[in-house]
């Protein structure tokens, strides 16, 4: 967004947008995969990690507060 609006590169979002979406989906699938492999309880750990990925910098908080305890 800063490149598009502050530096006048309107076409950059056509490339970065789908890339960002693909990486987000990869993160979600990877979280589900790790949750299954590590036998996380979905309602306790996996769900919280998935919610945290929507909140900006939420994954850093989850990593420090919840995942280090596992």
């Amino acid at each position: 967004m800063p490149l598009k609006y502050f530096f006048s590169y309107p076409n950059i979002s056509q490339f970065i947008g789908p890339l960002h979406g693909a990486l987000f989906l990869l993160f979600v699938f990877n979280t589900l995969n790790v949750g299954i492999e590590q036998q996380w309880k979905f309602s306790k750990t996996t769900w919280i990690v998935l919610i945290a990925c929507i909140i900006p910098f939420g994954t850093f908080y989850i990593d420090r507060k919840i995942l280090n305890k596992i």
Side-chain angles (χ1 to χ4, degrees):
M1 298 298 287
L3 287 174
K4 181 178 181 180
Y5 292 111
F6 296 124
F7 299 108
S8 299
Y9 290 114
N11 295 333
I12 196 75
S13 63
Q14 292 176 349
F15 173 72
I16 298 295
L19 180 64
H20 183 268
L23 289 174
F24 177 76
L25 288 176
L26 182 65
F27 179 83
V28 169
F29 291 134
N30 192 32
T31 299
L32 293 172
N33 188 29
V34 169
I36 291 169
E37 287 180 6
Q38 297 294 319
Q39 298 177 348
W40 291 347
K41 290 188 177 189
F42 186 81
S43 62
K44 189 171 184 177
T45 306
T46 307
W47 182 248
I48 294 171
V49 172
L50 290 174
I51 294 297
C53 74
I54 297 172
I55 302 168
F57 304 107
T59 53
F60 296 111
Y61 176 79
I62 291 298
D63 185 43
R64 180 169 290 231
K65 296 294 182 181
I66 294 178
L67 297 180
N68 282 336
K69 293 179 184 177
I70 296 177

